[in-house]
Amino acid sequence: MNARLMLLACSLLTIAAAPQTAPPPAPAPSPTAAPRPYATIAVTITTTEGPITLALERERAPITTANFLRYVDKKRFDGTAFYRAMPLGESAGLIQGGVRNRSDLILPPIAHEPTTTTGLTHDDGAISLARAAPGSGRGDFFIVVGSVPTLDANPAASGDKLGYAAFGHVTAGMDIVRRILRAPTAAGGPPGMTGQILSAPVKIVSVRRVVARR
């Protein structure tokens, strides 16, 4: 082997034997921040069947929550009732209560807050404002059992696309809500509620804000 070949061979051996430098480690991914909790207000509906506690979405649904609290703070729900039970299949439905047709208790209607704006949904335990046309909601509300997405706003739907204004959810007392949903109903009823009016409405004794303990 001539001198030039020997020099090339030595160079290749030197390159092959050289230690391979490991690439620097990739930086660790930044921890994903937990979603910020939204501000809520706790309220308890005391009924003759027991208490139902709610968390009202004062940040995400401020208009509808403020409306409900007007009735609470003026004690306008006291002595009213859950008067409607509407089963939807075997595992879903809703119960409705509030001032109904009591002209001495009804306050002016409020602007409609659709779920496309608030980001809320009509899932198990959601509380929502009853209404006829959008913007007619006042002092009647309903609580959902199971998931009822057809109550949400749906821009792709025909007709009234705005759904109902969910504004909170039950944090305790869903057993009472389900019990009311299973209660007997009368055969008649106003248009749209035929067969859904409770034979024995469940009295709402009081509705109060929950005072945090110190």
Side-chain angles (χ1 to χ4, degrees):
M1 181 179 297
N2 59 36
R4 180 176 294 178
L5 289 176
M6 290 182 64
L7 182 60
L8 178 60
C10 290
S11 298
L12 291 173
L13 286 172
T14 301
I15 294 171
Q20 301 297 309
T21 303
S30 301
T32 303
R36 179 180 63 85
Y38 291 99
T40 59
I41 296 177
V43 169
T44 295
I45 303 173
T46 301
T47 77
T48 50
E49 292 292 320
I52 302 168
T53 302
L54 309 165
L56 306 183
E57 298 278 355
R58 69 176 184 183
E59 188 173 354
R60 287 194 282 183
I63 297 172
T64 317
T65 293
N67 174 71
F68 190 85
L69 291 174
R70 285 191 303 165
Y71 286 87
V72 171
D73 295 339
K74 293 176 182 291
K75 300 182 180 179
R76 293 188 177 226
F77 287 135
D78 294 11
T80 61
F82 282 103
Y83 54 84
R84 181 187 186 190
M86 178 182 177
L88 297 169
E90 296 182 357
S91 59
L94 61 87
I95 63 170
Q96 184 168 318
V99 300
R100 205 172 182 186
N101 299 319
R102 291 276 304 274
S103 59
D104 58 320
L105 299 177
I106 296 173
L107 295 171
I110 61 167
H112 180 61
E113 282 184 309
T115 54
T116 46
T117 299
T118 63
L120 302 171
T121 55
H122 288 87
D123 53 8
D124 192 45
I127 181 171
S128 193
L129 189 65
R131 69 169 177 86
S136 65
R138 299 189 182 196
D140 289 83
F141 58 91
F142 60 89
I143 298 174
V144 176
V145 173
S147 178
V148 190
T150 53
L151 299 175
D152 296 339
N154 181 5
S158 58
D160 185 345
K161 306 176 182 182
L162 295 177
Y164 293 84
F167 63 100
H169 61 279
V170 174
T171 57
M174 278 303 291
D175 56 327
I176 295 165
V177 175
R178 293 187 176 92
R179 190 185 311 153
I180 296 172
L181 181 62
R182 295 192 299 266
T185 56
M193 297 187 189
T194 302
Q196 299 171 11
I197 300 301
L198 290 171
S199 300
V202 175
K203 184 178 180 181
I204 294 174
V205 178
S206 66
V207 186
R208 297 287 186 272
R209 297 183 189 231
V210 176
V211 179
R213 295 181 179 178
R214 295 184 178 180

